[in-house]
Amino acid sequence: MKVVIIDYGSGNLGSIKNMLRKIGVEGIISSSISDIEKAEKLILPGVGTFDHGMRNLGLLGLLPILENKVIQKKTPILGVCLGMQMFARKSQEGESRGLGWIDAEVVRFMFDDRERHLKIPHMGWNLIKIEKEDTLFREMYPKPRFYFVHSYHMVCRNESDILTKTFHGYEFASSLRKENIYGVQFHPEKSHKFGMKLLDNFVALC
Amino acid sequence: MLKIRVIPCLLLKGQGLVKTVRFKKPKYVGDPINAVKIFNDKEVDELVFLDIEATVDGRKPSFKLISEIASECFMPLSYGGGVRDLDDIKTIFNLGAEKVIINSYAIEKPDFVREASGRYGNQSIVVAVDVKRNPFGKHEIFSLGGRKKTKLNLVDHVKEMEKLGAGEIFLNSIDRDGTMEGYDIEIIKRVTKAVSIPVIACGGAGKITDFAEAVEKGRASAVAAGSMFVFHGKHRAVLITYPSVQELEEAFS
């Protein structure tokens, strides 16, 4: 299984590779078009800002190959955190257009007076509520919890794209899927057995 | 709902893990990689590693050791000790840690906090503050692992750090370190009142109810502990432990 972790100068690539290794998969960290071309699974990680991420994908010349692999060839891709947010059409965090693969916008957490005490970023361990059964969460351990660090979240136009929701002041989409496109707002690579199960499902079953 | 993070704070000295009392008398407690594996099994919320010699010895972080730790660490990992170079921070992130902790250098060159958070995002930059009460009860900030007294005012310093872009404050009480007598709630309260970023309380935890006290009375966002997770019984035998999810849920309910 050739799993490529896309390196676009943003984020914590080492920890995804570490966890893949733990489940017996040698992930390839790469920004090379030929590696991406040959990939059977793609992971788009990401920490940082929306514009910075989109700009780097563009500067590395990766937009056409990603479009080709994901939209034409239907290669499964997992977006993590900012990686998922870039699947949206646009973000309040910046001016750049997103990849537009998911009919969604990325917005900043906004709380009314009662929830003013809640911190942004939403950082720490939180629960997920399954909205829709999916392979990504198959045989997930009971009471799944995941590690989150983010100030912005996805708002999906189509509720049917949403796999799980999480509560921070209000419910937001914490994972989604549209055909071969998977996204998680949390960090599976830092979420113990829960994240390991999810990555294992993505690599082996999706 | 976010869980309250309960964080083992582990001290590195050379290649080994030690635990101090009031920042002194480091006692060897084992191998860091082995400790990480046990904390993995116990599904801890997060781990903090502090190299207590790097800054004092004037050397860079031990990247090889960080790499070994991070490759076994399937939970969030913060590293502190000798962090005084923007490119070193990037190296540490690439090895698999998500936060760095800056202490002495934030005092020496506060602007470094602004540069680091500007480049890598506030969420990845933690500023640690070591506080000690003087004989008159005044809170004094120390740098260089408790060796050097500064003239900084506690409230002014943490506000300044927040303004410069620190994502969190890691607040350590030198007087309570290793004593397991409970947190210094008053110091925690002063800091949480001054800033709106999360404050991680450290120093003095000896039992689960201490965590709840730091959160409820001190308004800490997260709690850290050392001795409580590495020692067992009154003779302080080395034993790595961590409360179960159920125990923590009850403590914070």
Side-chain angles (χ1 to χ4, degrees), chain B residues 209-241:
Chain B
T209 48
D210 291 340
F211 298 150
E213 203 187 2
V215 171
E216 281 154 28
K217 293 192 189 150
R219 313 303 295 169
S221 294
V223 287
S227 302
M228 189 180 152
F229 298 139
V230 296
F231 292 131
H232 182 72
K234 66 174 192 247
H235 299 296
R236 293 166 79 89
V238 175
L239 177 72
I240 290 184
T241 58

PDB file of all heavy atoms in Angstrom, chain B residues 209-241:
ATOM      1  N   THR B 209      -7.848  14.930  43.802  1.00  0.00           N
ATOM      2  CA  THR B 209      -8.661  16.097  44.205  1.00  0.00           C
ATOM      3  C   THR B 209      -7.879  17.406  44.061  1.00  0.00           C
ATOM      4  O   THR B 209      -8.475  18.471  43.918  1.00  0.00           O
ATOM      5  CB  THR B 209      -9.158  15.938  45.655  1.00  0.00           C
ATOM      6  OG1 THR B 209      -8.052  15.552  46.468  1.00  0.00           O
ATOM      7  CG2 THR B 209     -10.264  14.899  45.744  1.00  0.00           C
ATOM      8  N   ASP B 210      -6.533  17.316  44.080  1.00  0.00           N
ATOM      9  CA  ASP B 210      -5.738  18.533  43.849  1.00  0.00           C
ATOM     10  C   ASP B 210      -6.009  19.106  42.450  1.00  0.00           C
ATOM     11  O   ASP B 210      -6.025  20.319  42.255  1.00  0.00           O
ATOM     12  CB  ASP B 210      -4.236  18.234  43.969  1.00  0.00           C
ATOM     13  CG  ASP B 210      -3.821  17.911  45.401  1.00  0.00           C
ATOM     14  OD1 ASP B 210      -4.563  18.278  46.336  1.00  0.00           O
ATOM     15  OD2 ASP B 210      -2.753  17.285  45.584  1.00  0.00           O
ATOM     16  N   PHE B 211      -6.205  18.212  41.489  1.00  0.00           N
ATOM     17  CA  PHE B 211      -6.487  18.668  40.112  1.00  0.00           C
ATOM     18  C   PHE B 211      -7.755  19.509  40.084  1.00  0.00           C
ATOM     19  O   PHE B 211      -7.802  20.590  39.504  1.00  0.00           O
ATOM     20  CB  PHE B 211      -6.671  17.483  39.156  1.00  0.00           C
ATOM     21  CG  PHE B 211      -5.467  16.599  38.997  1.00  0.00           C
ATOM     22  CD1 PHE B 211      -5.614  15.244  38.715  1.00  0.00           C
ATOM     23  CD2 PHE B 211      -4.185  17.115  39.112  1.00  0.00           C
ATOM     24  CE1 PHE B 211      -4.511  14.425  38.563  1.00  0.00           C
ATOM     25  CE2 PHE B 211      -3.073  16.302  38.958  1.00  0.00           C
ATOM     26  CZ  PHE B 211      -3.243  14.952  38.687  1.00  0.00           C
ATOM     27  N   ALA B 212      -8.794  18.938  40.714  1.00  0.00           N
ATOM     28  CA  ALA B 212     -10.087  19.621  40.702  1.00  0.00           C
ATOM     29  C   ALA B 212      -9.982  20.989  41.379  1.00  0.00           C
ATOM     30  O   ALA B 212     -10.576  21.972  40.937  1.00  0.00           O
ATOM     31  CB  ALA B 212     -11.137  18.759  41.395  1.00  0.00           C
ATOM     32  N   GLU B 213      -9.164  21.049  42.442  1.00  0.00           N
ATOM     33  CA  GLU B 213      -9.007  22.321  43.152  1.00  0.00           C
ATOM     34  C   GLU B 213      -8.341  23.369  42.268  1.00  0.00           C
ATOM     35  O   GLU B 213      -8.759  24.529  42.234  1.00  0.00           O
ATOM     36  CB  GLU B 213      -8.180  22.085  44.423  1.00  0.00           C
ATOM     37  CG  GLU B 213      -8.428  23.146  45.466  1.00  0.00           C
ATOM     38  CD  GLU B 213      -7.496  23.040  46.663  1.00  0.00           C
ATOM     39  OE1 GLU B 213      -6.613  22.145  46.680  1.00  0.00           O
ATOM     40  OE2 GLU B 213      -7.642  23.871  47.571  1.00  0.00           O
ATOM     41  N   ALA B 214      -7.310  22.951  41.529  1.00  0.00           N
ATOM     42  CA  ALA B 214      -6.619  23.895  40.640  1.00  0.00           C
ATOM     43  C   ALA B 214      -7.563  24.416  39.561  1.00  0.00           C
ATOM     44  O   ALA B 214      -7.471  25.568  39.139  1.00  0.00           O
ATOM     45  CB  ALA B 214      -5.409  23.218  39.994  1.00  0.00           C
ATOM     46  N   VAL B 215      -8.479  23.562  39.138  1.00  0.00           N
ATOM     47  CA  VAL B 215      -9.401  23.962  38.072  1.00  0.00           C
ATOM     48  C   VAL B 215     -10.546  24.809  38.634  1.00  0.00           C
ATOM     49  O   VAL B 215     -10.859  25.875  38.107  1.00  0.00           O
ATOM     50  CB  VAL B 215      -9.957  22.699  37.356  1.00  0.00           C
ATOM     51  CG1 VAL B 215     -11.076  23.068  36.396  1.00  0.00           C
ATOM     52  CG2 VAL B 215      -8.834  21.989  36.619  1.00  0.00           C
ATOM     53  N   GLU B 216     -11.146  24.332  39.732  1.00  0.00           N
ATOM     54  CA  GLU B 216     -12.318  25.041  40.263  1.00  0.00           C
ATOM     55  C   GLU B 216     -11.938  26.334  40.972  1.00  0.00           C
ATOM     56  O   GLU B 216     -12.518  27.379  40.714  1.00  0.00           O
ATOM     57  CB  GLU B 216     -13.089  24.125  41.215  1.00  0.00           C
ATOM     58  CG  GLU B 216     -13.952  23.132  40.445  1.00  0.00           C
ATOM     59  CD  GLU B 216     -14.223  21.853  41.244  1.00  0.00           C
ATOM     60  OE1 GLU B 216     -14.232  21.927  42.492  1.00  0.00           O
ATOM     61  OE2 GLU B 216     -14.406  20.798  40.605  1.00  0.00           O
ATOM     62  N   LYS B 217     -10.957  26.254  41.866  1.00  0.00           N
ATOM     63  CA  LYS B 217     -10.581  27.464  42.617  1.00  0.00           C
ATOM     64  C   LYS B 217      -9.577  28.313  41.845  1.00  0.00           C
ATOM     65  O   LYS B 217      -9.639  29.528  41.864  1.00  0.00           O
ATOM     66  CB  LYS B 217      -9.996  27.079  43.974  1.00  0.00           C
ATOM     67  CG  LYS B 217     -11.033  26.439  44.887  1.00  0.00           C
ATOM     68  CD  LYS B 217     -10.503  26.341  46.304  1.00  0.00           C
ATOM     69  CE  LYS B 217     -11.443  25.515  47.179  1.00  0.00           C
ATOM     70  NZ  LYS B 217     -10.705  24.810  48.242  1.00  0.00           N
ATOM     71  N   GLY B 218      -8.628  27.644  41.191  1.00  0.00           N
ATOM     72  CA  GLY B 218      -7.588  28.397  40.506  1.00  0.00           C
ATOM     73  C   GLY B 218      -7.975  28.814  39.093  1.00  0.00           C
ATOM     74  O   GLY B 218      -7.350  29.663  38.507  1.00  0.00           O
ATOM     75  N   ARG B 219      -9.010  28.177  38.541  1.00  0.00           N
ATOM     76  CA  ARG B 219      -9.460  28.432  37.164  1.00  0.00           C
ATOM     77  C   ARG B 219      -8.412  28.013  36.128  1.00  0.00           C
ATOM     78  O   ARG B 219      -8.344  28.587  35.030  1.00  0.00           O
ATOM     79  CB  ARG B 219      -9.859  29.904  36.923  1.00  0.00           C
ATOM     80  CG  ARG B 219     -10.765  30.545  37.952  1.00  0.00           C
ATOM     81  CD  ARG B 219     -12.058  29.834  38.170  1.00  0.00           C
ATOM     82  NE  ARG B 219     -12.949  29.818  37.003  1.00  0.00           N
ATOM     83  CZ  ARG B 219     -14.053  29.065  36.913  1.00  0.00           C
ATOM     84  NH1 ARG B 219     -14.360  28.245  37.886  1.00  0.00           N
ATOM     85  NH2 ARG B 219     -14.807  29.113  35.849  1.00  0.00           N
ATOM     86  N   ALA B 220      -7.586  27.039  36.469  1.00  0.00           N
ATOM     87  CA  ALA B 220      -6.616  26.521  35.493  1.00  0.00           C
ATOM     88  C   ALA B 220      -7.369  25.775  34.394  1.00  0.00           C
ATOM     89  O   ALA B 220      -8.406  25.167  34.641  1.00  0.00           O
ATOM     90  CB  ALA B 220      -5.629  25.590  36.175  1.00  0.00           C
ATOM     91  N   SER B 221      -6.838  25.826  33.175  1.00  0.00           N
ATOM     92  CA  SER B 221      -7.453  25.101  32.054  1.00  0.00           C
ATOM     93  C   SER B 221      -6.956  23.667  31.979  1.00  0.00           C
ATOM     94  O   SER B 221      -7.600  22.809  31.411  1.00  0.00           O
ATOM     95  CB  SER B 221      -7.118  25.777  30.725  1.00  0.00           C
ATOM     96  OG  SER B 221      -7.714  27.043  30.667  1.00  0.00           O
ATOM     97  N   ALA B 222      -5.775  23.450  32.514  1.00  0.00           N
ATOM     98  CA  ALA B 222      -5.177  22.121  32.474  1.00  0.00           C
ATOM     99  C   ALA B 222      -4.284  21.975  33.694  1.00  0.00           C
ATOM    100  O   ALA B 222      -3.870  22.977  34.281  1.00  0.00           O
ATOM    101  CB  ALA B 222      -4.356  21.950  31.189  1.00  0.00           C
ATOM    102  N   VAL B 223      -4.007  20.729  34.067  1.00  0.00           N
ATOM    103  CA  VAL B 223      -3.162  20.501  35.230  1.00  0.00           C
ATOM    104  C   VAL B 223      -2.035  19.544  34.871  1.00  0.00           C
ATOM    105  O   VAL B 223      -2.219  18.609  34.095  1.00  0.00           O
ATOM    106  CB  VAL B 223      -3.966  19.924  36.420  1.00  0.00           C
ATOM    107  CG1 VAL B 223      -4.855  20.998  37.030  1.00  0.00           C
ATOM    108  CG2 VAL B 223      -4.795  18.720  36.003  1.00  0.00           C
ATOM    109  N   ALA B 224      -0.864  19.818  35.445  1.00  0.00           N
ATOM    110  CA  ALA B 224       0.287  18.961  35.196  1.00  0.00           C
ATOM    111  C   ALA B 224       0.828  18.467  36.533  1.00  0.00           C
ATOM    112  O   ALA B 224       0.628  19.124  37.563  1.00  0.00           O
ATOM    113  CB  ALA B 224       1.366  19.725  34.435  1.00  0.00           C
ATOM    114  N   ALA B 225       1.484  17.325  36.485  1.00  0.00           N
ATOM    115  CA  ALA B 225       2.070  16.779  37.703  1.00  0.00           C
ATOM    116  C   ALA B 225       3.254  15.903  37.335  1.00  0.00           C
ATOM    117  O   ALA B 225       3.305  15.336  36.234  1.00  0.00           O
ATOM    118  CB  ALA B 225       1.041  15.967  38.482  1.00  0.00           C
ATOM    119  N   GLY B 226       4.206  15.799  38.263  1.00  0.00           N
ATOM    120  CA  GLY B 226       5.375  14.961  38.039  1.00  0.00           C
ATOM    121  C   GLY B 226       5.381  13.792  39.004  1.00  0.00           C
ATOM    122  O   GLY B 226       5.026  12.663  38.663  1.00  0.00           O
ATOM    123  N   SER B 227       5.735  14.089  40.263  1.00  0.00           N
ATOM    124  CA  SER B 227       5.887  13.048  41.287  1.00  0.00           C
ATOM    125  C   SER B 227       4.700  12.101  41.354  1.00  0.00           C
ATOM    126  O   SER B 227       4.852  10.889  41.459  1.00  0.00           O
ATOM    127  CB  SER B 227       6.043  13.695  42.666  1.00  0.00           C
ATOM    128  OG  SER B 227       7.136  14.560  42.667  1.00  0.00           O
ATOM    129  N   MET B 228       3.509  12.687  41.292  1.00  0.00           N
ATOM    130  CA  MET B 228       2.305  11.874  41.446  1.00  0.00           C
ATOM    131  C   MET B 228       2.222  10.745  40.421  1.00  0.00           C
ATOM    132  O   MET B 228       1.653   9.698  40.700  1.00  0.00           O
ATOM    133  CB  MET B 228       1.101  12.806  41.304  1.00  0.00           C
ATOM    134  CG  MET B 228      -0.197  12.147  41.653  1.00  0.00           C
ATOM    135  SD  MET B 228      -1.523  13.344  41.457  1.00  0.00           S
ATOM    136  CE  MET B 228      -2.839  12.190  41.095  1.00  0.00           C
ATOM    137  N   PHE B 229       2.808  10.976  39.236  1.00  0.00           N
ATOM    138  CA  PHE B 229       2.717   9.979  38.174  1.00  0.00           C
ATOM    139  C   PHE B 229       3.947   9.056  38.102  1.00  0.00           C
ATOM    140  O   PHE B 229       3.954   8.116  37.328  1.00  0.00           O
ATOM    141  CB  PHE B 229       2.530  10.649  36.808  1.00  0.00           C
ATOM    142  CG  PHE B 229       1.260  11.455  36.716  1.00  0.00           C
ATOM    143  CD1 PHE B 229       1.259  12.693  36.088  1.00  0.00           C
ATOM    144  CD2 PHE B 229       0.071  10.975  37.237  1.00  0.00           C
ATOM    145  CE1 PHE B 229       0.093  13.436  35.991  1.00  0.00           C
ATOM    146  CE2 PHE B 229      -1.096  11.708  37.154  1.00  0.00           C
ATOM    147  CZ  PHE B 229      -1.084  12.949  36.529  1.00  0.00           C
ATOM    148  N   VAL B 230       4.984   9.399  38.864  1.00  0.00           N
ATOM    149  CA  VAL B 230       6.181   8.542  38.790  1.00  0.00           C
ATOM    150  C   VAL B 230       6.539   7.874  40.122  1.00  0.00           C
ATOM    151  O   VAL B 230       7.327   6.934  40.144  1.00  0.00           O
ATOM    152  CB  VAL B 230       7.426   9.291  38.236  1.00  0.00           C
ATOM    153  CG1 VAL B 230       7.191   9.718  36.806  1.00  0.00           C
ATOM    154  CG2 VAL B 230       7.823  10.453  39.106  1.00  0.00           C
ATOM    155  N   PHE B 231       5.967   8.361  41.223  1.00  0.00           N
ATOM    156  CA  PHE B 231       6.277   7.756  42.520  1.00  0.00           C
ATOM    157  C   PHE B 231       5.042   7.104  43.114  1.00  0.00           C
ATOM    158  O   PHE B 231       3.915   7.523  42.858  1.00  0.00           O
ATOM    159  CB  PHE B 231       6.793   8.809  43.513  1.00  0.00           C
ATOM    160  CG  PHE B 231       8.132   9.372  43.157  1.00  0.00           C
ATOM    161  CD1 PHE B 231       8.331  10.750  43.155  1.00  0.00           C
ATOM    162  CD2 PHE B 231       9.195   8.541  42.835  1.00  0.00           C
ATOM    163  CE1 PHE B 231       9.574  11.288  42.833  1.00  0.00           C
ATOM    164  CE2 PHE B 231      10.432   9.068  42.513  1.00  0.00           C
ATOM    165  CZ  PHE B 231      10.629  10.437  42.512  1.00  0.00           C
ATOM    166  N   HIS B 232       5.318   6.121  43.966  1.00  0.00           N
ATOM    167  CA  HIS B 232       4.231   5.421  44.617  1.00  0.00           C
ATOM    168  C   HIS B 232       4.569   5.213  46.090  1.00  0.00           C
ATOM    169  O   HIS B 232       5.680   4.815  46.420  1.00  0.00           O
ATOM    170  CB  HIS B 232       4.004   4.071  43.922  1.00  0.00           C
ATOM    171  CG  HIS B 232       2.867   3.295  44.492  1.00  0.00           C
ATOM    172  ND1 HIS B 232       1.550   3.657  44.290  1.00  0.00           N
ATOM    173  CD2 HIS B 232       2.850   2.190  45.268  1.00  0.00           C
ATOM    174  CE1 HIS B 232       0.768   2.796  44.912  1.00  0.00           C
ATOM    175  NE2 HIS B 232       1.531   1.901  45.518  1.00  0.00           N
ATOM    176  N   GLY B 233       3.625   5.496  46.968  1.00  0.00           N
ATOM    177  CA  GLY B 233       3.786   5.202  48.395  1.00  0.00           C
ATOM    178  C   GLY B 233       4.674   6.195  49.104  1.00  0.00           C
ATOM    179  O   GLY B 233       5.297   7.056  48.493  1.00  0.00           O
ATOM    180  N   LYS B 234       4.765   6.048  50.425  1.00  0.00           N
ATOM    181  CA  LYS B 234       5.485   7.063  51.195  1.00  0.00           C
ATOM    182  C   LYS B 234       7.001   6.975  51.026  1.00  0.00           C
ATOM    183  O   LYS B 234       7.712   7.914  51.306  1.00  0.00           O
ATOM    184  CB  LYS B 234       5.072   7.030  52.663  1.00  0.00           C
ATOM    185  CG  LYS B 234       5.449   5.767  53.411  1.00  0.00           C
ATOM    186  CD  LYS B 234       5.100   5.968  54.898  1.00  0.00           C
ATOM    187  CE  LYS B 234       5.706   4.880  55.713  1.00  0.00           C
ATOM    188  NZ  LYS B 234       5.080   3.914  56.398  1.00  0.00           N
ATOM    189  N   HIS B 235       7.482   5.838  50.541  1.00  0.00           N
ATOM    190  CA  HIS B 235       8.929   5.739  50.310  1.00  0.00           C
ATOM    191  C   HIS B 235       9.307   6.168  48.890  1.00  0.00           C
ATOM    192  O   HIS B 235      10.439   6.004  48.473  1.00  0.00           O
ATOM    193  CB  HIS B 235       9.406   4.313  50.578  1.00  0.00           C
ATOM    194  CG  HIS B 235       9.158   3.885  51.988  1.00  0.00           C
ATOM    195  ND1 HIS B 235       9.774   4.500  53.058  1.00  0.00           N
ATOM    196  CD2 HIS B 235       8.316   2.959  52.520  1.00  0.00           C
ATOM    197  CE1 HIS B 235       9.343   3.956  54.180  1.00  0.00           C
ATOM    198  NE2 HIS B 235       8.443   3.023  53.889  1.00  0.00           N
ATOM    199  N   ARG B 236       8.343   6.683  48.188  1.00  0.00           N
ATOM    200  CA  ARG B 236       8.579   7.190  46.828  1.00  0.00           C
ATOM    201  C   ARG B 236       9.265   6.150  45.941  1.00  0.00           C
ATOM    202  O   ARG B 236      10.292   6.423  45.295  1.00  0.00           O
ATOM    203  CB  ARG B 236       9.377   8.500  46.864  1.00  0.00           C
ATOM    204  CG  ARG B 236       8.585   9.639  47.490  1.00  0.00           C
ATOM    205  CD  ARG B 236       9.465  10.825  47.849  1.00  0.00           C
ATOM    206  NE  ARG B 236       9.793  11.674  46.708  1.00  0.00           N
ATOM    207  CZ  ARG B 236       9.080  12.704  46.282  1.00  0.00           C
ATOM    208  NH1 ARG B 236       7.946  13.001  46.864  1.00  0.00           N
ATOM    209  NH2 ARG B 236       9.459  13.431  45.267  1.00  0.00           N
ATOM    210  N   ALA B 237       8.705   4.963  45.918  1.00  0.00           N
ATOM    211  CA  ALA B 237       9.193   3.942  44.986  1.00  0.00           C
ATOM    212  C   ALA B 237       8.774   4.366  43.586  1.00  0.00           C
ATOM    213  O   ALA B 237       7.698   4.934  43.401  1.00  0.00           O
ATOM    214  CB  ALA B 237       8.569   2.595  45.328  1.00  0.00           C
ATOM    215  N   VAL B 238       9.633   4.105  42.594  1.00  0.00           N
ATOM    216  CA  VAL B 238       9.305   4.514  41.234  1.00  0.00           C
ATOM    217  C   VAL B 238       8.240   3.592  40.662  1.00  0.00           C
ATOM    218  O   VAL B 238       8.417   2.371  40.601  1.00  0.00           O
ATOM    219  CB  VAL B 238      10.558   4.504  40.335  1.00  0.00           C
ATOM    220  CG1 VAL B 238      10.173   4.811  38.890  1.00  0.00           C
ATOM    221  CG2 VAL B 238      11.577   5.515  40.835  1.00  0.00           C
ATOM    222  N   LEU B 239       7.118   4.179  40.272  1.00  0.00           N
ATOM    223  CA  LEU B 239       6.054   3.414  39.624  1.00  0.00           C
ATOM    224  C   LEU B 239       5.248   4.394  38.779  1.00  0.00           C
ATOM    225  O   LEU B 239       4.738   5.389  39.292  1.00  0.00           O
ATOM    226  CB  LEU B 239       5.135   2.757  40.666  1.00  0.00           C
ATOM    227  CG  LEU B 239       3.958   1.995  40.060  1.00  0.00           C
ATOM    228  CD1 LEU B 239       4.427   0.708  39.402  1.00  0.00           C
ATOM    229  CD2 LEU B 239       2.899   1.682  41.114  1.00  0.00           C
ATOM    230  N   ILE B 240       5.176   4.115  37.488  1.00  0.00           N
ATOM    231  CA  ILE B 240       4.447   5.034  36.611  1.00  0.00           C
ATOM    232  C   ILE B 240       2.959   4.721  36.655  1.00  0.00           C
ATOM    233  O   ILE B 240       2.545   3.586  36.414  1.00  0.00           O
ATOM    234  CB  ILE B 240       5.022   4.974  35.184  1.00  0.00           C
ATOM    235  CG1 ILE B 240       6.406   5.617  35.221  1.00  0.00           C
ATOM    236  CG2 ILE B 240       4.103   5.677  34.197  1.00  0.00           C
ATOM    237  CD1 ILE B 240       7.085   5.740  33.900  1.00  0.00           C
ATOM    238  N   THR B 241       2.189   5.733  37.007  1.00  0.00           N
ATOM    239  CA  THR B 241       0.734   5.549  37.107  1.00  0.00           C
ATOM    240  C   THR B 241       0.026   6.720  36.456  1.00  0.00           C
ATOM    241  O   THR B 241       0.642   7.763  36.193  1.00  0.00           O
ATOM    242  CB  THR B 241       0.267   5.496  38.575  1.00  0.00           C
ATOM    243  OG1 THR B 241       0.663   6.709  39.211  1.00  0.00           O
ATOM    244  CG2 THR B 241       0.830   4.307  39.310  1.00  0.00           C
TER     245      THR B 241
END
